[in-house]
Amino acid sequence: MEDGFLRTTCGICQIGCGALVHLKKGKPVKIEGDPLHPLNKGKLCQKGYASLEYLYHPKRLTKPLKRIGARGQGKWVDISWDEALSIIADKFMEHKKAFGPESVAFIRGAAKGLQDSYLTRFANAFGSPNITSMAHVCFIPRYTASMITYGFYAIPDLDYPPKTIFVWGGNISDTLFHVYERLCTAVRKGACLIAVDPGSNRITKEAKIVVKPKPGTDLYLILAMLNVIIKEGLFDKNFVEQHTTGFQELVNHVSSYTPEQVSKITWIPADTIVRIARIYALNKPSAIQWGNGIDHTPDNFQTARAICILRAITGNLGIPGGDIQWKNPALIERGSAIFSLHDRIPPEVRAKRIIAGKTLPNQFYALPQALIEAMITYVPYPIKSCYIQGCNPLLTYPNPLKVRQALEAVDFLVVSDMFMTPTVSLADVVLPVATYLEFDSIVTAPYSLAVASIQQKAIRIGECRSDYEILKGLADRLGIANTFWSTEEECLDFILSPSSITFAQFRNIAVLEGRKIYRDDVQNTFPTPSGKVEIYSTTLESWGFPPLPEPSTGTEINNINQDDYPLILTSTKVGPYRHSGGRQITTLRNAHPLPRVIIHPDTARAFGISEGELVTIETRHGCITQKAFFDDDMHPCVILADFAWWFPERESDPMYGWDESNLNMLIHDDPPFGAELGTPRLRGIHCRIAKPSISIIR
Ligand code: SF4
């Protein structure tokens, strides 16, 4: 198309907002929200509006590169795609033959849509069980708990609207702006907003009631709410009797989690626990918008299970204005065996998947921290090659010094990315990947209304390729060509086949919408083995995991000298950025120029810190610097630090100041991990702050 506009879907984060790309002489010149898209209704967030800055950024990687200096030295030579793919295929085959397919590991970053599934399909077709992602710290804990408890992922019915809305552990005004807008509408219509968050953000400032639990103690708080609701008879007796299993076991289980006991652990006064439990149970319909904060402790799965049970016993599950099911548009499911090919891996090879201990048997990923360990120690076997797709683990994994050691230890490292990053700096071969404006796809939104929308190629920059094209090129050279369709569009046709349309037809339709399902629509049946909400999970019990939600023991919260580290660290993702991405985009950087730690002013004064000055944040594991900002709404014992900072503008440093303000330098990857999903503790870590010594200011 020469002039006009193209309907597409923003791919900078996983939300899937509809966008209109304006073209002049075939070139994108402007982007705006698609007013017809049901999710975002004409708006984009600041990241979305910066899409063309990403596209045309002068520092985009546009040609494949081969390293010619030492790792991390920043010396490269341009190579052709043919050479790049041949080098990779030869190395992968060499290692597969000598050490088995499991010696080739695959790492992918935060959710990007179908690209993630292409890599999974590729790894399974290649035969390696060692593909890892951020699943254990993002969404999957909540998703898995929901599936086990009631068989679907429930979404707040904000448009109805609810009378009570909890926002639990989520900075949604920054990370889910379309949900935030719906929430504001519900509040304008009278909904009571309750924020559960130890930090400070727009939601905590706008909420009617703010509850600030000690980071990492949310599970105790929910168990105490269940205790109150059961003791005071505030649960939905008919629903519990007819549509749940294991309620009596729950009654016994939560009896010791009294508000008074739990108050000592969570810092929340007992009368506040009673008050919010009563509001949630009585001021119905009530909905809980949960966030990624819940995923960041070893108790993530059990915390999510407890919230699922809270929704169910109060009768808020599946009702208008409560937390409801959405039926997705008819597509081939990305996680299905037919698409992911996870059944191609023989059981004896799957059993070699590198994890830490035992995790739920319905999980297929390798655990990042265990894989990193194996790269260094060769235990249980050597990891010889590693393919990293759109991920910056030096910034996003805990214990980055160890991550660097691991990435330097593998024989052969490939990274595909849009920009040079600290992780890319360690690669042997670098592959320049296309932005979302450069390839066709289908985007499904996982977190709210069930919508599938079109992503259309508007242009192609340099020699960049889509992940599909890269993996197809590799598959052709590895003897697994038949697992990929000859073009990306043929693959998209396959995904659309249950809807009986082709991708060419979808270009005109642009959006497929799912629909809400209230529990009355399905006669109160739930897609679980019993057909009921499984409060007491015999499935978990049969797998050897706690059938009712219970806190783990032996976490850092219990095992530290609090005089040395008197504060508690939690973290936040900042609106303009997606994880470690976006620091080189001028508009976004201007909106949030420097790493920031938010501190209560009284706490800062006690440590002799002034607003705006650089401070050190120190834990038992490491020390970084960020700039101090004050906020009266912070709990005086908690500090809130920015996540995933590096400095792409420091071009003379090939590692871009990767360890200076990087939150993960403060976080270790030692056990205990969450029993179900292997999650390490990322929040609720004891720390201290200070003015930096001269030597640490760089
Ligand atoms: S929320 Fe995500 S998908 Fe929507 S405009 Fe922002 S970056 Fe794009």
Side-chain angles (χ1 to χ4, degrees):
M1 185 189 295
E2 279 296 292
D3 288 0
F5 67 84
L6 201 62
R7 282 186 88 181
T8 194
T9 306
C10 176
I12 294 175
C13 87
Q14 74 288 7
I15 301 305
C17 299
L20 301 180
V21 183
H22 293 255
L23 303 170
K24 251 206 163 77
K25 295 187 179 158
K27 277 190 70 178
V29 291
K30 182 182 163 191
I31 190 157
E32 59 185 342
D34 180 351
L36 299 181
H37 198 281
L39 219 59
N40 56 309
K41 299 179 179 167
K43 292 188 182 169
L44 298 174
C45 78
Q46 51 193 332
K47 295 188 282 285
Y49 284 120
S51 295
L52 300 192
E53 281 186 70
Y54 275 94
L55 179 71
Y56 295 126
H57 197 285
K59 296 293 179 189
R60 281 276 308 274
L61 296 169
T62 55
K63 289 173 186 289
L65 302 173
K66 188 167 82 170
R67 181 169 57 81
I68 51 173
R71 280 190 169 148
Q73 212 180 16
K75 292 192 175 161
W76 309 95
V77 63
D78 291 351
I79 54 174
S80 69
W81 272 104
D82 188 49
E83 186 181 355
L85 295 176
S86 296
I87 292 171
I88 299 167
D90 289 350
K91 274 288 176 195
F92 282 11
M93 281 313 285
E94 177 192 325
H95 290 149
K96 185 177 185 177
K97 277 186 192 144
F99 301 96
E102 63 274 15
S103 69
V104 180
F106 298 87
I107 294 178
R108 67 170 179 80
K112 292 177 192 63
L114 279 175
Q115 297 95 293
D116 307 331
S117 309
Y118 298 150
L119 186 67
T120 305
R121 186 177 173 92
F122 181 90
N124 286 330
F126 180 78
S128 174
N130 287 321
I131 176 163
T132 188
S133 73
M134 300 316 289
H136 64 314
V137 295
C138 186
F139 182 61
I140 293 302
R142 288 170 284 149
Y143 175 81
T144 310
S146 305
M147 297 305 285
I148 284 185
T149 310
Y150 36 70
F152 59 88
Y153 184 79
I155 289 169
D157 191 15
L158 295 175
D159 293 339
Y160 183 73
K163 282 191 185 160
T164 301
I165 305 170
F166 274 64
V167 177
W168 202 304
N171 179 13
I172 63 166
S173 57
D174 274 2
T175 56
L176 291 172
F177 86 93
H178 65 296
V179 174
Y180 175 69
E181 300 224 327
R182 286 180 164 80
L183 180 141
C184 290
T185 305
V187 170
R188 277 196 296 276
K189 289 180 181 169
C192 170
L193 177 60
I194 300 177
V196 184
D197 198 318
S200 173
N201 55 49
R202 221 154 130 189
I203 295 289
T204 61
K205 291 188 188 305
E206 291 168 3
K208 186 165 181 188
I209 301 172
V210 181
V211 181
K212 291 185 173 296
K214 183 176 181 179
T217 63
D218 303 58
L219 176 53
Y220 291 91
L221 180 57
I222 304 158
L223 292 171
M225 288 174 69
L226 288 165
N227 173 297
V228 172
I229 287 164
I230 290 171
K231 199 163 136 206
E232 297 190 1
L234 307 181
F235 54 94
D236 183 329
K237 296 180 184 62
N238 280 342
F239 182 80
V240 164
E241 205 167 281
Q242 292 174 33
H243 306 297
T244 70
T245 65
F247 181 69
Q248 192 50 50
E249 287 88 340
L250 178 73
V251 173
N252 301 336
H253 180 67
V254 300
S255 62
S256 59
Y257 294 95
T258 63
E260 293 72 23
Q261 284 298 327
V262 165
S263 174
K264 293 176 201 157
I265 298 166
T266 60
W267 300 341
I268 307 301
D271 58 351
T272 302
I273 298 174
V274 172
R275 183 177 173 217
I276 61 172
R278 286 177 183 161
I279 293 173
Y280 180 73
L282 294 174
N283 191 40
K284 294 200 304 192
S286 299
I288 299 176
Q289 173 67 51
W290 53 16
N292 185 221
I294 286 173
D295 299 329
H296 285 182
T297 73
D299 283 335
N300 53 11
F301 174 83
Q302 296 292 1
T303 305
R305 273 268 294 150
I307 288 180
C308 293
I309 291 168
L310 186 65
R311 287 168 165 164
I313 70 160
T314 50
N316 280 306
L317 183 67
I319 61 168
D323 293 301
I324 61 165
Q325 186 178 7
W326 274 83
K327 184 171 172 51
N328 289 320
L331 301 174
I332 296 287
E333 281 190 31
R334 289 168 39 191
S336 61
I338 193 173
F339 197 77
S340 72
L341 305 181
H342 60 72
D343 53 1
R344 290 271 182 103
I345 305 258
E348 65 277 12
V349 178
R350 179 71 68 200
K352 293 181 180 173
R353 178 174 58 110
I354 294 180
I355 52 175
K358 176 180 146 191
T359 55
L360 295 176
N362 58 357
Q363 303 300 308
F364 291 104
Y365 53 79
L367 262 190
Q369 68 268 29
L371 201 57
I372 292 298
E373 181 83 20
M375 286 176 179
I376 296 168
T377 61
Y378 280 25
V379 176
Y381 49 79
I383 298 294
K384 302 297 285 183
S385 284
C386 181
Y387 184 101
I388 299 181
Q389 176 181 286
C391 182
N392 195 357
L394 281 186
L395 272 297
T396 55
Y397 280 15
N399 199 353
L401 293 175
K402 189 166 161 188
V403 175
R404 180 169 184 173
Q405 192 189 349
L407 297 184
E408 288 181 335
V410 286
D411 279 13
F412 184 62
L413 179 65
V414 186
V415 185
S416 69
D417 211 308
M418 294 186 289
F419 296 99
M420 195 53 75
T421 70
T423 299
V424 173
S425 283
L426 301 180
D428 294 289
V429 174
V430 180
L431 303 176
V433 79
T435 68
Y436 79 90
L437 291 164
E438 297 167 79
F439 63 98
D440 294 331
S441 198
I442 301 162
V443 180
T444 47
Y447 303 136
S448 52
L449 329 183
V451 173
S453 41
I454 189 100
Q455 178 183 315
Q456 301 198 71
K457 177 179 173 181
I459 195 171
R460 184 56 70 84
I461 301 293
E463 296 179 21
C464 295
R465 292 190 181 178
S466 70
D467 287 303
Y468 186 93
E469 291 163 338
I470 295 171
L471 295 171
K472 165 82 173 109
L474 278 175
D476 288 347
R477 287 164 174 79
L478 286 165
I480 49 173
N482 60 357
T483 53
F484 279 81
W485 295 260
S486 51
T487 66
E488 194 156 2
E489 183 156 342
E490 282 175 34
C491 171
L492 300 174
D493 286 342
F494 173 69
I495 291 168
L496 285 166
S497 56
S499 285
S500 304
I501 55 170
T502 63
F503 191 77
Q505 291 166 322
F506 191 41
R507 289 185 195 278
N508 296 321
I509 300 166
V511 174
L512 295 173
E513 290 191 59
R515 63 179 174 84
K516 292 179 184 181
I517 299 178
Y518 294 127
R519 67 177 199 236
D520 280 352
D521 301 337
V522 288
Q523 291 77 47
N524 284 293
T525 55
F526 293 87
T528 60
S530 63
K532 299 183 177 190
V533 175
E534 302 202 339
I535 295 173
Y536 185 97
S537 172
T538 50
T539 302
L540 288 172
E541 188 175 44
S542 70
W543 289 341
F545 295 92
L548 287 166
E550 61 184 49
S552 56
T553 54
T555 62
E556 178 177 87
I557 281 182
N558 307 319
N559 299 334
I560 188 135
N561 182 348
Q562 297 185 15
D563 292 337
D564 290 342
Y565 299 96
L567 302 176
I568 294 190
L569 172 70
T570 189
S571 62
T572 187
K573 297 183 205 76
V574 191
Y577 305 121
R578 183 160 193 230
H579 304 288
S580 67
R583 267 69 175 186
Q584 58 281 87
I585 305 298
T586 306
T587 311
L588 303 181
R589 191 63 181 273
N590 288 342
H592 193 101
L594 289 167
R596 187 177 72 175
V597 55
I598 303 178
I599 309 169
H600 192 283
D602 293 345
T603 309
R605 272 191 285 276
F607 284 87
I609 288 163
S610 308
E611 183 152 35
E613 78 175 331
L614 212 55
V615 295
T616 61
I617 311 168
E618 192 178 350
T619 66
R620 286 185 300 168
H621 313 301
C623 180
I624 62 168
T625 54
Q626 298 198 350
K627 255 191 162 191
F629 279 76
F630 292 180
D631 190 330
D632 286 323
D633 289 340
M634 286 298 297
H635 191 290
C637 294
V638 176
I639 64 168
L640 180 69
D642 276 4
F643 174 61
W645 265 94
W646 59 291
F647 304 93
E649 67 275 17
R650 294 193 192 163
E651 293 183 355
S652 59
D653 171 8
M655 296 304 287
Y656 305 99
W658 70 290
D659 56 352
E660 190 174 315
S661 299
N662 176 356
L663 177 88
N664 274 317
M665 295 292 290
L666 305 174
I667 297 170
H668 218 268
D669 59 348
D670 282 345
F673 305 129
E676 297 82 8
L677 299 167
T679 309
R681 174 169 297 282
L682 304 181
R683 300 192 189 210
I685 294 168
H686 281 265
C687 69
R688 59 188 174 212
I689 52 174
K691 284 174 180 285
S693 63
I694 299 298
S695 63
I696 213 163
I697 302 175
R698 279 167 273 192

